[in-house]
Every structure is written in structure tokens, then in C-alpha cells.
Amino acid sequence: MKSFLNKLGNPEKKMPPTIHIAGTNGKGSTLAFIRYIMQAAGYKVHAYTSPHLVNFNERIVIAGSYIDNNELYSLLEECRAVIAEQPITLFEAATITAFLAFSRHKADITLVEVGMGGRLDATNVIDNPILTIITSIALDHTEYLGPTVETIAGEKAGIMKPNVPCVIAPQEKSIMKTLEHHAINKKSPLYRGGLEWNCKKRLSVIQTGIQKQKNERSRAGAQMIFQSAIQSIEFSLPSLKGDHQVINAGNAIAACSILSGKYGFDIGEEDITSGLQRTYWPARLELIRKGNLISLLPKNWQLFLDGAHNNDGARVLSQWVKDNFAEGIYVVFGVTRNRNVEEFLEHLKPYIKLLCAVCVKSEPKATNTNLIREKANNIGIKAVECESIGDAISNHILKASIQNVKTILICGSLFLARDFAMENTNFDDM
């Protein structure tokens, strides 16, 4: 990476001030929250994320808009000329292309998401970020990052830089200790969730006149509260669903407090409120409202799309289902080959009334439907094999007619979201 970038004039050194984000889960959501908050405050934002769901252009956002095809093609050709016949991965080429684009367009800040790990990630050629962020850490990509969460935490800590603040999401004790150890060695000041800051959901309560007489209380929704040593601010829940998004929103608020206090960015409470409410990050517990597949559903049915693909993601999903659809759900499930199907589904088992196994068409290394069905059956989940998401909905779920079950969840792989987008014409713009 350094060799290629050097031949291209070191664009990574010429980008607007950069925030570098690593973690197992929540990287993209945290980045999206920061992006929308800063845009609400009037700032121009570059952003680099992965993977894309439908179009490659989604990976590279230039001052708030996806890179256009002509510029993308031109930059890729520029990279191709420098790389010549030398080996390079798709992610490395995409990263170089993004950095070239960011170095040539004005913006106030650049948000860069790590691809995998951190220490040896292609994005870690950035040696002068103004802020780093480490989101929730869990077991994932163990064949590359190591067998324990502590080892993986060490890899994520590789993005820390001397004298550069690092925001850390709340972590298990052993993970936090590992990150603290690396921060001491790197001389990186920490702003730790659960210590220097907290962000939690809080139920809002109202009482009617009659309820006051009976001394009864009723929940009228929920809010979240962000607390630090210098402030305690209440916000509405963010647009992205799930309690885990409260933590990701906390990461973003903590980051913005550093941007305001240390670097002079003008970000007010109203900007945070507006940004959190407007944030759009597809396939993260996303309620799909239109498209030909949605038109098949009876009234009062709902379909959610989520990119959860590891054990920690399944745990978060199961809690969300428990809180909202304890009566049960239908699940359309597809996964890549290196994933533990039984471990993932075990979390959702109490709520799955029918599982429809599909092959992820956008993933060459997808697990076949027969294996998914067998694994699901092994742990007591009723499962059927389906040719597509549309087949699962029209020929299996809608014919199952399980009483009071009116919710469909598509999950198992972000690439499954791409398949859904291709099948569900008129899908929300990404």
C-alpha cells in the first residue's frame, strides 16, 4: 500500500482531517451517525466504507455524494497504471482509489472505516488522523485476526496513534484492558464508553389524570441520555433501530464532543439531534416500506433487513426480536461458508417459527441451502429450502399462516441484502 501510494504522490497525506474507525460490529453505523451529524452542522464530509450493497460507488462518498462513474473509472485506471502486474486485492485497490478521490476534493473531514482488523488493514497507512474510534469487539475473522477477543482487540488497537484521542465503545473487561495496554504503549489518550462517557436508553413515562389517581404509570416511548464528566444531555432515540444503535450513537456523540472541544468544530446539540434522526444506513434493522416483494405482504405485516452475520450480531438481533416480536418471526437466512450456522441461529431459536434457507447469490462462497436446513433442524428449528428470497416469501412464509406472526427478518450476510435489493424492485435508494 505504501509503495503504491508513494507512486501516486501520497494522497493519504493530502486528505482533509481524518477519523479512522475500527471494530467488529458498529463501524458503519458509527460512521453514518457522525456523517449525518456533521452534515447537519453544515460540514462537507468524505466517507469510505465497505462492503457495498448494490453499487461499488457506495463505498466512496465525496462531500456527501457517491462518487460518479466517470471519476471512479478514471481513478481506477490511474491506479491500474501504477500497480501494473503486481498483486493487489480488491479492497486495497478500492482504498487507494478512495484516498486519491479524497485528496482531490475539498471537504471539512474524512471518515474512513477499517476493512478488517486494523493493524495490518489497508487503511492503516493513515499516520496522522485527528481521531480514532474502536467500536464493539467480538470474535470474527478468527482465521486472520486470532482466536481470542483479546488478540482481536490488539489488532484493532493498531489504528491508535501517538497523541491522537481514541474513542472506545463499552467493552468486556478483558477487551478494555487490552486496549488500555496498547493505548499506553502508543501514548494515545482514551475516551472510554462506560468510564469517561455513557450513553443509555431511558424509558419516558407519562401519567394521565386517571392513572395518577390509581398511581399507575405507562411508558410513552423511550429516549437516550449521553453523560460525561461535563455534560448530561437527553436525545430522542436514533433513526437506526435496536439498543445496540444507542451505543453506536454514543460513539458518535463522544467523537463529536472531541471534535468540538479539541478541534473547534461547531457542532451543537441541535445538530446531533437532527443528525441522529436523519441517519440512513441500509440493511441495519431496516424496515422495508416499498417494492414488489413488499406488495405481496398482507396489511400489518412488516419486513426487516439486517446485515448481522456473526455471533455477536445474532445476539443483538435476538434481543431486539425479544423486545419487539416475542410472539415470533419468520426468518429468511443465507450465509457465507465460513460462518457457524448453528451458533448464529441458536440466539434466534426461541423466536423463529419458520426459517427459509436461501443461497446468497452475491457471494461466491455461500453456504448451500441443504446444509443450512440441516443445521437448523439439528437445533430444533423448522426450516425449508428456497430458491430465492421471493420464493421464500410467496411460496413458504405467506402459506405458513402461523397465528399472530406477521414479521419477516432477512439476515445472515450483508450480501444477502444485495440479493434482496435486486429482487425487490423499487427498493429504497441507497
Side-chain angles (χ1 to χ4, degrees):
M1 281 293 295
K2 289 181 178 178
S3 172
F4 293 143
L5 289 166
N6 185 56
K7 293 175 182 177
L8 289 164
N10 294 113
E12 78 282 8
K13 299 181 185 297
K14 301 172 184 176
M15 301 189 298
T18 301
I19 298 177
H20 201 190
I21 306 171
T24 305
N25 294 313
K27 300 188 298 292
S29 297
T30 296
L31 183 150
F33 281 133
I34 297 172
R35 174 187 165 190
Y36 279 83
I37 289 170
M38 297 207 70
Q39 287 176 172
Y43 292 106
K44 290 185 177 180
V45 183
H46 293 332
Y48 178 55
T49 59
S50 62
H52 61 279
L53 297 186
V54 180
N55 297 310
F56 186 89
N57 310 56
E58 296 167 30
R59 295 176 180 238
I60 304 173
V61 172
I62 300 175
S65 301
Y66 294 144
I67 188 170
D68 69 61
N69 287 335
N70 290 334
E71 181 171 13
L72 177 59
Y73 178 82
S74 176
L75 291 174
L76 286 169
E77 286 300 299
E78 191 173 342
C79 292
R80 188 199 301 274
V82 168
I83 293 163
E85 300 300 319
Q86 298 175 76
I88 191 170
T89 67
L90 170 65
F91 184 73
E92 289 167 340
T95 302
I96 293 170
T97 301
F99 289 177
L100 272 176
F102 297 158
S103 70
R104 296 175 183 178
H105 290 272
K106 290 183 178 180
D108 300 295
I109 200 155
T110 305
L111 309 178
V112 175
E113 177 189 1
V114 165
M116 182 174 64
R119 182 175 64 92
L120 298 177
D121 190 73
T123 63
N124 204 27
V125 292
I126 301 169
D127 56 12
N128 61 340
I130 61 170
L131 180 66
T132 60
I133 302 174
I134 298 178
T135 65
S136 174
I137 294 176
L139 285 175
D140 200 13
H141 299 299
T142 53
E143 68 274 31
Y144 299 108
L145 303 180
T148 68
V149 288
E150 293 80 14
T151 306
I152 293 172
E155 292 297 312
K156 309 292 185 185
I159 70 166
M160 292 178 180
K161 298 295 184 294
N163 303 314
V164 176
C166 180
V167 171
I168 299 180
Q171 309 283 351
E172 293 178 11
K173 189 174 182 180
S174 64
I175 296 174
M176 189 65 83
K177 281 191 172 182
T178 300
L179 295 174
E180 289 168 347
H181 170 76
H182 285 276
I184 290 170
N185 290 338
K186 290 282 189 74
K187 295 183 173 58
S188 173
L190 297 183
Y191 195 35
R192 299 163 294 179
L195 294 166
E196 284 79 29
W197 63 269
N198 279 284
C199 193
K200 296 180 179 180
K201 185 167 78 171
R202 185 166 72 181
L203 295 177
S204 300
V205 179
I206 61 170
Q207 290 181 308
T208 65
I210 296 174
Q211 287 169 334
K212 286 179 182 178
Q213 293 174 15
K214 294 182 178 180
N215 197 30
E216 295 176 348
R217 296 161 71 85
S218 69
R219 288 183 291 187
Q223 293 179 309
M224 67 178 193
I225 185 166
F226 180 87
Q227 296 173 309
S228 68
I230 60 173
Q231 59 186 349
S232 179
I233 310 173
E234 198 168 86
F235 298 98
S236 297
L237 291 179
S239 58
L240 304 184
K241 297 176 178 62
D243 287 355
H244 60 295
Q245 295 295 1
V246 172
I247 297 300
N248 294 330
N251 296 334
I253 297 170
C256 288
S257 68
I258 292 175
L259 294 178
S260 298
K262 181 177 175 64
Y263 297 109
F265 284 89
D266 186 11
I267 305 170
E269 289 182 31
E270 66 281 0
D271 302 317
I272 295 174
T273 298
S274 176
L276 293 178
Q277 291 301 304
R278 294 181 180 181
T279 299
Y280 174 64
W281 192 231
R284 276 72 177 182
L285 281 177
E286 181 179 9
L287 175 61
I288 307 302
R289 300 181 185 277
K290 62 183 180 180
N292 61 302
L293 294 183
I294 301 304
S295 67
L296 299 174
L297 301 182
K299 187 178 180 181
N300 298 326
W301 279 53
Q302 296 183 101
L303 185 149
F304 291 89
L305 180 64
D306 192 80
H309 54 273
N310 55 37
N311 189 46
D312 194 56
R315 178 187 57 77
V316 167
L317 264 185
S318 67
Q319 184 60 53
W320 176 77
V321 173
K322 179 182 178 182
D323 291 344
N324 295 277
F325 307 104
E327 68 277 5
I329 58 173
Y330 302 102
V331 171
V332 180
F333 184 77
V335 67
T336 53
R337 271 184 225 154
N338 62 339
R339 299 295 177 180
N340 189 320
V341 172
E342 290 165 304
E343 185 178 63
F344 186 100
L345 293 178
E346 193 69 52
H347 291 277
L348 291 163
K349 176 183 172 181
Y351 315 106
I352 299 177
K353 300 304 179 182
L354 176 66
L355 183 137
C356 295
V358 295
C359 183
V360 186
K361 297 174 183 177
S362 300
E363 172 55 78
K365 297 179 180 179
T367 300
N368 66 62
T369 57
N370 181 55
L371 182 59
I372 293 174
R373 180 184 57 79
E374 287 182 356
K375 297 283 188 182
N377 288 340
N378 286 345
I379 60 173
I381 297 174
K382 181 181 178 181
V384 295
E385 296 179 53
C386 303
E387 294 182 2
S388 66
I389 297 172
D391 175 46
I393 293 172
S394 58
N395 295 322
H396 296 279
I397 292 174
L398 293 180
K399 292 181 179 179
S401 299
I402 300 173
Q403 189 175 10
N404 296 324
V405 180
K406 301 177 180 179
T407 302
I408 303 170
L409 172 64
I410 301 174
C411 64
S413 170
L414 263 174
F415 295 108
L416 193 59
R418 186 182 303 170
D419 289 357
F420 177 79
M422 296 302 181
E423 286 191 55
N424 188 50
T425 55
N426 298 320
F427 182 55
D428 290 346
D429 291 337
M430 294 184 182

